[in-house]
Amino acid sequence: MANNSGEQPLLVGLLDPPSQLSQKNATKKRRFRRCKSAPTAEIALRLKDGGGLLPRSESIFGKFHPSFVQVVLFLTLYLGVGTICFALVNKPIKGKKTNEILDAVYFCVVTMTTVGYGDLVPDSTPTKLLACAFVFMGMALVGLILSNAADYLVEKQEVLLVKALHMYQIGTIDILKEVETKRVKYKFLVILILLLLLIMVGTIFLNKVENLDLVDAFYCVCSTITTLGYGDKSFSTEMGRIFAVFWILTSTICLAQFFLYFAELNTEHRQHLLVKWVLTRRMTSVDLEAADLDDDGVVGAAEFIIYKLKEMGKISQEDVALLMEEFENLDVDQSGTLSASDLLLSQSSQEEN
Amino acid sequence: MANNSGEQPLLVGLLDPPSQLSQKNATKKRRFRRCKSAPTAEIALRLKDGGGLLPRSESIFGKFHPSFVQVVLFLTLYLGVGTICFALVNKPIKGKKTNEILDAVYFCVVTMTTVGYGDLVPDSTPTKLLACAFVFMGMALVGLILSNAADYLVEKQEVLLVKALHMYQIGTIDILKEVETKRVKYKFLVILILLLLLIMVGTIFLNKVENLDLVDAFYCVCSTITTLGYGDKSFSTEMGRIFAVFWILTSTICLAQFFLYFAELNTEHRQHLLVKWVLTRRMTSVDLEAADLDDDGVVGAAEFIIYKLKEMGKISQEDVALLMEEFENLDVDQSGTLSASDLLLSQSSQEEN
């Protein structure tokens, strides 16, 4: 991508935050450069992504995260193995049957999402034990999907949603900024819309294809997406079960994701309250003394920031202690500051060893 | 509690972290006090708690979190209202019945945990719609319990577990330190033991009281705690349903918590990898320049810490920018550092206004 060469300017401008704040104090002498372009891991990842508009916010964690492709692969493998297992066992499942293979896949999906209608149940000891093992693995897999793929897909939709909300074309950079600052809120909106859509589609399908009346169809939809699965109403036709395999998987994960985003929205709200509290709290001389990391009697900007970050609970004393240790190791000439000479000294001492 | 008066020494000692690290460099001149007793919100909370050994780690968030008592209250209210609603409706539920009120409570629990055996199902349109509303609220409530009460209870057990693991008496402070550093691992262990215990108790109960053979009993236990609830095997006696009300609630939440801790353990592992990566990465002159927050040509300890924290993804540029703004507001004499005179000046200027 062409982006990869001219990276810093674009991204620094993008990440350059609260401009209202800067304007507020514009008359004041600027003693500090505001937005040093610290090459955070996040930026590095953004650039590697190249075209990706809104890559995952967990920065370098991406490295250790399974990708979307891997998740799909796991899922296919899981359903494939499950279907074969249940087909091989003697007297596998009893209940309302349609097509043998379709029933096995349907049974697998109903089991892994923990819907468990009970319209098909294991009929022999091995099948029962298989189902037990299967549901635990299924839960883990759903967790994996939730922690990864759903988030990824929703993030792709955010920009589109913001565009739609504004109803007019605003520049891509503006949209990105808008999405960046209100990201949780937009993710929540995307998933809400998707969820309502899935509920509607499910209800209409059950009404038309499975011939349930509207209340029963809605009741069956609710009972399914929440993984309740009483089982008095379920998918009994061949057509219905094909639809169910895809719809159940999507809608249960969608509802779980909805709850997750809701929790995230709440956490963010609480975080905002806390930050506000920390920022408006009066500094006292006790605070000053505690914030003075290098014991020189005055509190520099960086010391102040660390102190307040600790108050906000964003970092812990352990983080600070660990890094302080590292700093002292690097500060070879023990001047209390790092300069180019320290780096040279540490390099030469490493080469000697 | 007597603790409340002599607070700082105890807690600072407690929070004073990696002692191995300190010893490693013990010969080196100490230019910085390591563990400034920053009165973080966490400490404040610990002290308010008084007797609580290991209060929640989310520090001041506690304020906005519902307490354990509140959760129990919500739960009682939810089950109470649910039972009354289902008792009032005409033709409420059909299926294997025992005692009317017990069945309503049992139905509520089976619904809110999304087990949904289907041995009791709604029998009229209002009951069906009621069940739909009920299961959504139930899911939210279970989420609330998970985010709060379970964590709280498990934390209470941690110290006991560590004691048991060591099999000999070590000082309370040592235990607290041990728990503090390996907290997620121990929480995971506690919940694992609890889960195995609940599975055993459930299997034995179903075998003895509900007269299921051992495989069926285990199958029913698995089908219940995962909230699968096929419903071909369930609690059908009065005695069984009384047991089920408590056992289902505990065990489903326990399994969910187990998965949560497992995920947390994973996240922590990834976080460790990232921290290690950031710490071992060579500083270059480009890094030096970027870390130099106050533009004085050298990097102080606090600047170094902020830079590395950004690299670790623990804080963002926005956090830093926001606090920098605040610092500049406080630094009334524009000296680039905060001192007692700044505080006095800012106070007097506020009083003038």
Side-chain angles (χ1 to χ4, degrees):
Chain A
M1 303 264 347
N3 273 357
N4 284 349
S5 51
E7 30 193 76
Q8 291 296 34
L10 171 74
L11 284 155
V12 173
L14 221 159
L15 290 175
D16 193 332
S19 55
Q20 326 87 278
L21 277 178
S22 320
Q23 281 154 7
K24 206 182 76 188
N25 289 24
T27 49
K28 212 168 178 181
K29 199 178 131 224
R30 290 258 77 87
R31 270 158 295 123
F32 304 102
R33 278 188 273 155
R34 169 136 304 100
C35 284
K36 281 297 178 50
S37 55
T40 58
E42 180 167 6
I43 297 189
L45 200 81
R46 276 162 186 273
L47 293 169
K48 235 185 295 164
D49 261 43
L53 284 177
L54 287 166
R56 303 185 56 75
S57 55
E58 272 116 310
S59 66
I60 204 159
F61 280 175
K63 266 209 236 172
F64 313 105
H65 254 296
S67 76
F68 181 61
V69 178
Q70 274 174 297
V71 167
V72 172
L73 230 116
F74 275 140
L75 193 64
T76 318
L77 197 75
Y78 176 89
L79 287 180
V81 170
T83 309
I84 293 168
C85 282
F86 283 112
L88 284 181
V89 173
N90 186 29
K91 282 204 289 174
I93 32 180
K94 66 179 174 192
K96 283 183 226 158
K97 293 196 180 172
T98 59
N99 172 303
E100 202 166 305
I101 294 173
L102 178 61
D103 283 354
V105 176
Y106 171 73
F107 178 74
C108 283
V109 169
V110 167
T111 301
M112 78 170 280
T113 53
T114 77
V115 171
Y117 288 127
D119 53 349
L120 292 174
V121 290
D123 196 22
S124 60
T125 304
T127 328
K128 280 175 187 171
L129 294 178
L130 205 62
C132 289
F134 215 66
V135 66
F136 281 109
M137 285 192 306
M139 281 182 92
L141 189 58
V142 168
L144 196 73
I145 297 175
L146 280 179
S147 85
N148 188 277
D151 219 29
Y152 175 81
L153 289 178
V154 168
E155 281 174 7
K156 290 254 169 207
Q157 302 304 315
E158 285 177 60
V159 179
L160 287 178
L161 178 76
V162 182
K163 266 194 186 163
L165 281 178
H166 287 282
M167 297 294 281
Y168 52 84
Q169 279 309 100
I170 48 177
T172 316
I173 295 289
D174 287 335
I175 292 181
L176 283 180
K177 257 192 202 165
E178 171 98 11
V179 171
E180 192 72 34
T181 42
K182 296 189 182 167
R183 106 165 304 152
V184 184
K185 211 172 135 191
Y186 284 128
K187 287 203 291 192
F188 181 74
L189 268 176
V190 169
I191 209 84
L192 182 66
I193 291 170
L194 195 62
L195 193 63
L196 291 177
L197 219 68
L198 280 166
I199 291 177
M200 255 170 52
V201 170
T203 308
I204 292 168
F205 184 92
L206 279 164
N207 180 247
K208 297 286 175 211
V209 178
E210 295 276 334
N211 289 320
L212 299 177
D213 69 55
L214 271 179
V215 172
D216 277 348
F218 179 71
Y219 161 72
C220 179
V221 163
C222 287
S223 144
T224 304
I225 60 172
T226 58
T227 78
L228 185 54
Y230 287 129
D232 52 341
K233 308 281 176 230
S234 64
F235 297 87
S236 52
T237 66
E238 201 161 325
M239 188 66 192
R241 287 191 177 175
I242 294 173
F243 172 78
V245 165
F246 297 98
W247 183 79
I248 291 177
L249 219 62
T250 327
S251 58
T252 51
I253 284 172
C254 200
L255 184 68
Q257 195 73 28
F258 172 82
F259 277 107
L260 278 181
Y261 284 152
F262 183 74
E264 210 179 322
L265 209 62
N266 252 325
T267 310
E268 206 174 57
H269 177 65
R270 281 190 280 128
Q271 182 70 38
H272 276 307
L273 286 180
L274 182 62
V275 167
K276 217 170 152 188
W277 180 79
V278 168
L279 283 180
T280 51
R281 207 177 66 85
R282 254 300 188 29
M283 284 286 277
T284 65
S285 50
V286 178
D287 290 317
L288 264 194
E289 214 236 325
D292 184 13
L293 213 59
D294 58 5
D295 251 346
D296 62 356
V298 290
V299 174
E303 288 170 331
F304 175 79
I305 291 172
I306 291 179
Y307 184 72
K308 285 291 186 184
L309 285 172
K310 270 199 280 188
E311 262 196 333
M312 288 176 190
K314 292 207 177 195
I315 59 173
S316 68
Q317 181 59 47
E318 265 141 293
D319 295 328
V320 174
L322 196 68
L323 287 168
M324 194 64 129
E325 204 66 47
E326 178 68 13
F327 176 79
E328 287 174 21
N329 286 336
L330 279 175
D331 183 16
V332 186
D333 61 7
Q334 305 209 0
S335 60
T337 54
L338 282 189
S339 56
S341 71
D342 286 311
L343 293 185
L344 278 174
L345 277 169
S346 81
Q347 267 174 359
S348 60
S349 72
Q350 276 183 347
E351 275 154 20
E352 275 165 30
N353 292 340
Chain B
M1 301 267 343
N3 274 357
N4 284 349
S5 51
E7 31 193 75
Q8 291 295 35
L10 171 75
L11 284 155
V12 173
L14 221 158
L15 290 176
D16 194 333
S19 53
Q20 326 85 281
L21 277 178
S22 317
Q23 279 152 11
K24 208 183 73 189
N25 288 24
T27 49
K28 211 168 175 180
K29 197 178 132 224
R30 291 258 77 86
R31 270 160 294 124
F32 304 104
R33 276 187 275 157
R34 172 138 298 104
C35 285
K36 283 297 181 50
S37 56
T40 56
E42 180 167 5
I43 298 191
L45 202 78
R46 276 162 188 272
L47 294 168
K48 235 188 288 160
D49 260 42
L53 285 176
L54 288 165
R56 301 186 56 76
S57 56
E58 273 117 309
S59 67
I60 205 160
F61 281 175
K63 264 208 238 174
F64 312 106
H65 253 295
S67 76
F68 180 63
V69 178
Q70 274 174 297
V71 168
V72 171
L73 230 117
F74 274 141
L75 193 64
T76 317
L77 196 76
Y78 176 88
L79 287 180
V81 170
T83 309
I84 292 167
C85 282
F86 283 111
L88 284 183
V89 173
N90 187 27
K91 282 203 290 170
I93 33 181
K94 66 178 171 191
K96 283 182 228 158
K97 293 197 181 172
T98 59
N99 171 303
E100 200 166 305
I101 293 172
L102 178 61
D103 284 353
V105 177
Y106 171 74
F107 178 75
C108 283
V109 169
V110 167
T111 301
M112 79 169 281
T113 56
T114 77
V115 171
Y117 288 125
D119 53 350
L120 292 174
V121 289
D123 196 22
S124 59
T125 302
T127 329
K128 280 176 187 171
L129 294 178
L130 206 59
C132 289
F134 216 65
V135 66
F136 281 109
M137 284 193 305
M139 281 182 93
L141 190 56
V142 168
L144 196 73
I145 297 176
L146 279 179
S147 86
N148 186 278
D151 220 31
Y152 175 81
L153 289 178
V154 168
E155 281 175 7
K156 290 252 168 207
Q157 302 303 315
E158 283 178 62
V159 179
L160 288 178
L161 178 75
V162 182
K163 265 194 187 165
L165 282 179
H166 287 282
M167 295 295 279
Y168 54 84
Q169 279 309 99
I170 47 176
T172 317
I173 295 291
D174 287 335
I175 293 182
L176 284 180
K177 259 191 200 164
E178 171 97 13
V179 171
E180 193 71 34
T181 44
K182 297 188 180 165
R183 104 168 307 152
V184 184
K185 213 172 132 192
Y186 284 127
K187 285 202 292 192
F188 182 74
L189 269 177
V190 169
I191 208 85
L192 183 66
I193 292 171
L194 195 62
L195 193 61
L196 292 177
L197 217 71
L198 280 168
I199 291 178
M200 256 171 50
V201 169
T203 309
I204 292 170
F205 184 91
L206 280 164
N207 180 248
K208 298 288 176 209
V209 178
E210 295 276 335
N211 289 320
L212 299 178
D213 70 53
L214 272 178
V215 172
D216 277 349
F218 179 71
Y219 162 73
C220 179
V221 164
C222 287
S223 143
T224 304
I225 60 173
T226 58
T227 77
L228 186 53
Y230 287 129
D232 52 341
K233 308 283 178 226
S234 64
F235 296 87
S236 53
T237 65
E238 200 161 325
M239 187 67 191
R241 287 190 176 174
I242 293 173
F243 172 79
V245 166
F246 298 99
W247 182 79
I248 291 177
L249 218 63
T250 327
S251 57
T252 50
I253 284 172
C254 200
L255 184 70
Q257 195 73 26
F258 172 82
F259 277 108
L260 278 182
Y261 284 152
F262 183 73
E264 209 180 321
L265 210 61
N266 253 326
T267 309
E268 206 174 59
H269 176 65
R270 283 189 279 127
Q271 181 69 39
H272 276 307
L273 286 180
L274 182 63
V275 167
K276 218 172 151 185
W277 180 80
V278 169
L279 284 180
T280 53
R281 208 176 66 84
R282 251 316 187 15
M283 283 286 277
T284 65
S285 52
V286 178
D287 291 317
L288 265 194
E289 214 235 326
D292 183 15
L293 211 61
D294 57 5
D295 252 346
D296 60 356
V298 289
V299 173
E303 287 170 332
F304 175 80
I305 292 172
I306 290 178
Y307 185 71
K308 286 291 186 183
L309 285 172
K310 268 199 281 190
E311 260 196 335
M312 291 178 189
K314 293 206 178 195
I315 58 174
S316 69
Q317 181 59 46
E318 264 140 293
D319 296 328
V320 175
L322 197 68
L323 287 168
M324 196 63 131
E325 204 66 49
E326 178 68 16
F327 176 80
E328 286 172 21
N329 286 336
L330 279 175
D331 183 17
V332 186
D333 61 7
Q334 304 208 2
S335 59
T337 54
L338 282 189
S339 56
S341 72
D342 285 312
L343 293 185
L344 277 174
L345 278 169
S346 82
Q347 267 175 358
S348 61
S349 74
Q350 278 184 342
E351 275 154 21
E352 274 165 30
N353 292 343

